């Protein structure tokens, strides 16, 4: 999957200076608060044809976070009106 720009994006996170473009690219994100005032960062990813085939076949989605810890996170999609399907 590739990160994509989206209309709510309000910040760009650049790749670490220790990585080149084959390892990491800048990513657009929305930084804000949820309805309860909790800070969060949203990024949007577009699955490729191969990703869609894998998901349809029941294969899992892998989330890779570089580092030694894992922040709280969620994965979800949007419906046709832009509402969360979570």
């Amino acid at each position: 999957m590739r990160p994509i720009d989206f209309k709510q994006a309000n910040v760009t996170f650049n790749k670490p200076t220790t990585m080149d473009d084959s390892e990491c690219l800048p990513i657009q994100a929305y930084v804000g608060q949820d309805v309860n005032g909790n800070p969060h960062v949203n990024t949007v990813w577009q699955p490729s044809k191969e990703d869609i085939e894998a998901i349809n076949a029941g294969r899992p989605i892998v989330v890779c976070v570089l580092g030694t810890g894992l922040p709280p996170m969620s994965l979800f999609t949007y419906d046709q009106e832009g509402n969360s399907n979570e």
Side-chain angles (χ1 to χ4, degrees), residues 6-57:
F6 58 106
K7 69 179 181 177
Q8 297 86 359
N10 60 6
V11 68
T12 300
F13 288 97
N14 291 309
K15 68 179 184 269
T17 56
T18 58
M19 300 178 96
D20 63 35
D21 287 349
S22 70
E23 299 172 293
C24 185
L25 295 170
I27 188 169
Q28 299 292 310
Y30 169 79
V31 177
Q33 296 181 344
D34 68 15
V35 296
N36 297 316
N38 298 309
H40 71 270
V41 177
N42 282 354
T43 57
V44 176
W45 298 75
Q46 182 67 53
S48 67
K49 177 182 172 240
E50 293 81 11
D51 291 324
I52 292 168
E53 289 171 357
I55 293 165
N56 285 337

Side-chain angles (χ1 to χ4, degrees), residues 65 69-74:
V65 177
L70 189 63
M73 64 176 58
S74 63

